[in-house]
Amino acid sequence: MEMKIGVIKGDGIGPEIVDEAMKVLDQTAKVYGHSISYTQLLMGGASIDVNGVPLTEETLQLAKDSDAVLMGSIGGDAKTSPWYQLEPSKRPEAGLLQLRKGLNLFANLRPAVLYDELKGACPLKKEIADRGFDLMIMRELTGGLYFGKRSTEEIDGVLTAKDELTYNENEIRRIAKRAFDIAMKRRKKVTSVDKANVLDSSRLWRSVVEDVAKDYPDVTLEHMLVDNCAMQIVHNPCQFDVVLTENMFGDILSDEASMVTGSIGMLSSASLNDTRFGLYEPSGGSAPDIAGKGIANPIATILSAAMMLRYTFDLDKEAEAIEAAVKQVLKDGYRTIDIMPQEEDKKKNEPERFQALQPDKLPEIKEFSFAEQAPHIERPQNQESQAANLGNTVSAKKDTPVEEKEESLPENNNDKILRLHKQGMSSVDIAKELGLGVGEVKLVINLFKGA
Ligand code: IPM
Ligand code: MG
């Protein structure tokens, strides 16, 4: 396949993490027989330096002409960078918002998965981390406060700022549909997050989401207030499958969700419109404080490249190979500094396995691992369900008996499957009892054989 990829390396750590992802893409293309042409695009601070604005019309057009865009991160240190002397509409972030709007990228997918190997870097209590989690934040990306009218003016001698939060039912409906579609490929649960006890926009959100849910009888819908959701992400993250929310809430919750995976350096993202086009970027910022030191974690960008292969190019096998390689690298003990285990955990492991990884080593290992590993790795037909089980691999390996777990946290579906399986119930009966597909039940049982 011929892939035309626009590349926005961006600012801060952007260029170095994108370089690593491009090496991985190149190697993937080599192994699987594809060809890639890259067009470098300037956006954010890098564009301000050259063009005086964070996004030009030409760049937007070049992005539109690409099949997909791979992006690093944009922005600088707001205290010291001259970019922040400019008026807000000329700053780096404004370029990103114009790009999202200009490409109509209304659906932002941010998967947050706790890798078994990174439990040590998870800041949550051990009993919570041990259960694992695998959630997908579906953030609305082109509406709400980010794109409402804003102004700052003096009213009766008092400086007053205003930001408008608007959603219409069509905007809510299209993102809700995306969330339900994704949920159908995962564990069939949507948690719609709003602030319906206060905001009109949230009340409309809730009623439209309920309406959309009627077309998806197999998906369980629950509503959750955003403050409660923020709490639940640190209290019991494995309860979530797809978290559907508006722009601002999604911005905040996705940072929170990424942090509990161990590091924001792990969180990939895809921003999609109604076509196959997508913008793929790590969810983290440009981290100017560590830029150029060779210590930035490239995994979120590499996983974003994998998402690009899956969502824009339909190359599931290739995407899975990259994801498998990332897992393998982590399993082999390689770490960037942000996902190093705490001192006491480090002592429990052979110290040499936790070497600080120069990012440029990662693709070498990946090249080795995915060439070597991918064909041998058993995978279910669809990646979403494979990913869905990752968190539960963790809980199944736990020594603690299921009964004891139940005291502190509610059972998730996979725990239920395993419990019923142990009680001798057949896969068909378990599927009936829990309202799941027989294939999914068998998959979970197979995954945990001997665990
Ligand atoms: C993100 C970022 C952006 C946002 C900023 C850079 C404008 O935080 O992608 O989450 O708020 O959407
Ligand atoms: Mg953010």
Side-chain angles (χ1 to χ4, degrees), residues 18-292:
V18 169
D19 282 348
E20 300 314 311
M22 286 169 69
K23 286 184 207 165
V24 173
L25 277 175
D26 287 341
Q27 178 66 12
T28 310
K30 201 166 110 195
V31 172
Y32 290 91
H34 305 296
S35 80
I36 306 182
S37 68
Y38 297 104
T39 309
Q40 300 293 333
L41 309 175
L42 287 181
M43 205 269 283
S47 171
I48 296 174
D49 289 346
V50 175
N51 304 310
V53 289
L55 178 73
T56 61
E57 273 303 317
E58 297 79 70
T59 304
L60 180 59
Q61 191 52 51
L62 285 169
K64 284 183 181 164
D65 294 342
S66 311
D67 298 325
V69 171
L70 178 67
M71 193 180 122
S73 45
I74 51 115
D77 184 339
K79 287 201 197 92
T80 54
S81 164
W83 301 328
Y84 295 90
Q85 305 298 318
L86 300 166
E87 61 168 279
S89 66
K90 301 254 164 60
R91 294 180 192 166
E93 288 74 7
L96 179 57
L97 299 192
Q98 285 161 24
L99 189 70
R100 287 174 180 168
K101 196 73 172 177
L103 297 166
N104 191 29
L105 302 171
F106 63 87
N108 183 219
L109 281 68
R110 297 189 166 184
V113 178
L114 181 60
Y115 285 77
D116 204 359
E117 293 76 17
L118 289 189
K119 279 191 290 171
C122 172
L124 301 179
K125 278 193 204 146
K126 188 176 176 315
E127 63 262 33
I128 302 175
D130 276 350
R131 292 181 62 90
F133 57 85
D134 173 358
L135 59 95
M136 173 73 85
I137 295 187
M138 175 64 84
R139 169 187 176 194
E140 201 292 328
L141 202 60
T142 51
L145 278 171
Y146 276 61
F147 293 93
K149 276 195 221 123
R150 58 183 104 259
S151 62
T152 306
E153 56 188 327
E154 216 176 275
I155 300 177
D156 298 333
V158 183
L159 267 180
T160 307
K162 191 163 73 188
D163 297 278
E164 244 174 45
L165 200 183
T166 309
Y167 271 107
N168 69 39
E169 54 179 315
N170 299 336
E171 290 171 311
I172 302 169
R173 193 174 300 279
R174 65 180 180 179
I175 186 78
K177 279 187 180 158
R178 283 292 173 94
F180 281 91
D181 285 342
I182 291 268
M184 283 298 288
K185 294 188 182 169
R186 296 173 48 102
R187 300 192 305 277
K188 300 191 177 63
K189 180 176 172 191
V190 170
T191 305
S192 175
V193 175
D194 61 38
K195 189 68 186 170
N197 53 348
V198 179
L199 303 176
D200 258 22
S201 55
S202 284
R203 287 187 272 267
L204 179 64
W205 182 277
R206 218 174 246 223
S207 75
V208 174
V209 170
E210 272 176 11
D211 202 36
V212 170
K214 290 182 191 143
D215 294 334
Y216 297 84
D218 294 343
V219 177
T220 307
L221 167 67
E222 68 175 14
H223 300 285
M224 193 178 277
L225 295 173
V226 62
D227 45 354
N228 183 25
C229 182
M231 206 166 69
Q232 293 299 327
I233 286 175
V234 291
H235 175 63
N236 182 13
C238 75
Q239 71 185 282
F240 295 111
D241 180 15
V242 176
V243 175
L244 162 66
T245 193
E246 63 92 54
N247 205 344
M248 180 74 155
F249 298 158
D251 179 44
I252 299 166
L253 294 176
S254 60
D255 267 24
E256 189 192 9
S258 73
M259 204 50 230
V260 297
T261 67
S263 165
I264 194 157
M266 299 298 297
L267 198 73
S268 56
S269 99
S271 303
L272 307 173
N273 59 23
D274 278 328
T275 71
R276 296 215 70 88
F277 178 90
L279 170 75
Y280 300 86
E281 56 172 320
S283 297
S286 60
D289 50 325
I290 59 161

Side-chain angles (χ1 to χ4, degrees), residues 32 115 117 310 316-332 365-383 386-387 390 393 443 447:
Y32 290 91
Y115 285 77
E117 293 76 17
R310 174 173 298 114
D316 280 2
K317 190 162 43 85
E318 289 77 344
E320 285 167 19
I322 293 178
E323 286 156 353
V326 167
K327 273 181 217 155
Q328 189 60 44
V329 164
L330 293 172
K331 209 164 160 199
D332 291 346
I365 295 161
K366 300 178 77 52
E367 285 170 19
F368 164 77
S369 356
F370 72 68
E372 295 284 310
Q373 310 279 345
H376 309 295
I377 287 186
E378 268 194 37
R379 285 179 168 274
Q381 310 87 327
N382 96 37
Q383 171 63 21
Q386 204 269 346
L390 184 66
T393 313
L443 180 70
L447 268 172

Side-chain angles (χ1 to χ4, degrees), residues 297-310:
N297 186 347
I299 290 180
T301 321
I302 290 168
L303 291 174
S304 301
M307 286 182 99
M308 174 168 85
L309 296 181
R310 174 173 298 114

